[in-house]
Amino acid sequence: MAENLVATSLKVYGMRDAAAAQRAYDALRQIDGVQQISMNVPLRRINVTHTPRRGITQELVAALRSLGFHAQEKG
């Protein structure tokens, strides 16, 4: 049975180059439920498709902040 997936869009500051984007990607892939990640470094945007569960947005933001990025959810 396929699970319903949701998308979370994040605005990320401090992700300046491909190496930083790769570190962010690697950190987000480790979070349980993350299915797909798309990034736009020039626009400082990360879109994450994941299974719906309580607290996952906070986990995404915390993972990015642990790398020194400032992240916030965009509606």
Side-chain angles (χ1 to χ4, degrees):
M1 177 190 319
E3 295 182 64
N4 291 329
L5 298 176
V6 296
T8 298
S9 182
L10 302 168
K11 188 76 168 184
V12 182
Y13 300 92
M15 189 174 61
R16 302 186 195 283
D17 57 24
Q22 186 63 52
R23 288 194 321 274
Y25 181 88
D26 292 342
L28 295 174
R29 287 294 300 160
Q30 300 301 313
I31 296 174
D32 187 44
V34 170
Q35 301 295 312
Q36 183 177 1
I37 301 165
S38 64
M39 298 183 163
N40 186 318
V41 176
L43 293 179
R44 299 182 297 240
R45 173 92 53 187
I46 298 177
N47 295 306
V48 182
T49 303
H50 55 84
T51 55
R53 68 174 172 81
R54 179 173 280 225
I56 193 167
T57 300
Q58 291 82 3
E59 285 183 53
L60 297 170
V61 169
L64 294 168
R65 286 187 178 164
S66 75
L67 297 172
F69 305 127
H70 173 74
Q72 63 187 44
E73 184 176 14
K74 297 305 284 184

